Amino acid sequence: MKATTKIFGCIADPINHVKAPSLFTSEFVRRNIDAIMIPINTSKENLKDVIAGLRKIRNFCGLTVTIPHKIDIIKYCDKVELEANQTGAVNWVKFNNNMLIGNNFDGLGFIAGLKKSNIVLSNKSICIFGAGGSGMAISFALLKYNIKELKIVNRDKVKAEKLVKRLQNFFPAARIKIEELNDPDISDSDIIINATSIGLKGNEGIPFKLIKTKKNCIIADIIMDPEETLLIKEAKRLKKQVHLGKYMLENQIDLAGKYFQLW
């Protein structure tokens, strides 16, 4: 590192599961870019103070944002781009002349990963567990691909209802349903996505019963650590096609590099 090194951060709580710092720093080295990404462990209570402090670091250029800050961080942004405005969640923040600009690449990165795995979305029934920052971003991205139906399952039903209302404001013709958490109807879903924190180290578990899914249902997870969650392991045991959480981040690398004008 030099005095001119551009510093990026990955802000989260907990922080031990995040892969972004090592992935991005490795990419900076590979591309011979004078930059580094560091992990920043910050609680929700301290988020405001941490952002205020980062604003004062002249060579601090931006953040990738993950659980649990994707929604709360919006209030500290001076401007939000289209994707972030639609979803109400931010997972990238650009520090530009002391102005914080929020964006969201979760949905775009997730869809790019599906496409690279040759997973077709058109006319598919999709169920997503989780209505938080990632769930919102992925839901918005999915509705741009002529899917047959979107089912949403969330622990907080009011939060799920707010997401549906937000989605329908932008996609009034879309077919969207809320399923009950305790007994969701996932029997006709072609793709099921876990966009909750269930599966992280320290929060092991499976968010739904795989025996209730149809035979050719594709099981996707957004958890990156562990790479294979209990959900993914059980789905593989049942001979189902799976889609790993790491692909969402890997496909955001190119998007973020262009956004920060690094390549």
Side-chain angles (χ1 to χ4, degrees), residues 74-88:
I74 288 181
K75 66 173 72 83
Y76 308 118
C77 292
D78 302 298
K79 176 185 175 183
V80 292
E81 306 279 15
L82 176 62
E83 293 289 334
N85 184 52
Q86 283 185 333
T87 61

Side-chain angles (χ1 to χ4, degrees), residues 42-107:
T42 303
S43 68
K44 295 183 75 169
E45 292 74 22
N46 293 328
L47 182 61
K48 180 180 179 180
D49 292 338
V50 170
I51 296 300
L54 293 175
R55 280 182 184 267
K56 298 178 181 180
I57 302 174
R58 292 183 180 179
N59 61 329
F60 195 89
C61 300
L63 286 169
T64 178
V65 185
T66 187
I67 296 170
H69 303 305
K70 292 182 181 182
I71 296 173
D72 291 341
I73 203 165
I74 288 181
K75 66 173 72 83
Y76 308 118
C77 292
D78 302 298
K79 176 185 175 183
V80 292
E81 306 279 15
L82 176 62
E83 293 289 334
N85 184 52
Q86 283 185 333
T87 61
V90 161
N91 80 321
W92 284 96
V93 179
K94 182 191 293 185
F95 285 55
N96 186 14
N97 295 324
N98 204 37
M99 185 177 184
L100 270 60
I101 305 171
N103 210 333
N104 196 311
F105 298 144
D106 269 346

Side-chain angles (χ1 to χ4, degrees), residues 2 12 14 19 28 32-33 60 69 91 104 119 130 142 149-150 159 170 190 202 219 250 255 261-262:
K2 297 179 285 188
K19 300 294 185 183
F28 294 150
N32 196 30
I33 295 171
F60 195 89
H69 303 305
N91 80 321
N104 196 311
I119 295 174
L142 289 170
E149 178 185 59
L150 178 65
K159 194 173 184 179
F170 291 93
D190 300 298
I219 306 299
E250 289 176 356
L255 292 168
Q261 297 181 321
L262 294 169

Side-chain angles (χ1 to χ4, degrees), residues 106-161:
D106 269 346
L108 297 174
F110 186 81
I111 295 296
L114 293 180
K115 286 184 174 181
K116 286 184 180 179
S117 297
N118 297 314
I119 295 174
V120 177
L121 296 173
S122 180
N123 203 36
K124 293 293 192 296
S125 178
I126 302 176
C127 181
I128 185 164
F129 281 73
S134 294
M136 276 193 270
I138 293 169
S139 295
F140 268 93
L142 289 170
L143 291 180
K144 296 174 183 177
Y145 285 85
N146 193 36
I147 66 172
K148 180 180 179 181
E149 178 185 59
L150 178 65
K151 293 182 178 182
I152 297 172
V153 185
N154 193 63
R155 180 175 54 189
D156 184 342
K157 192 172 181 180
V158 173
K159 194 173 184 179
E161 290 170 347

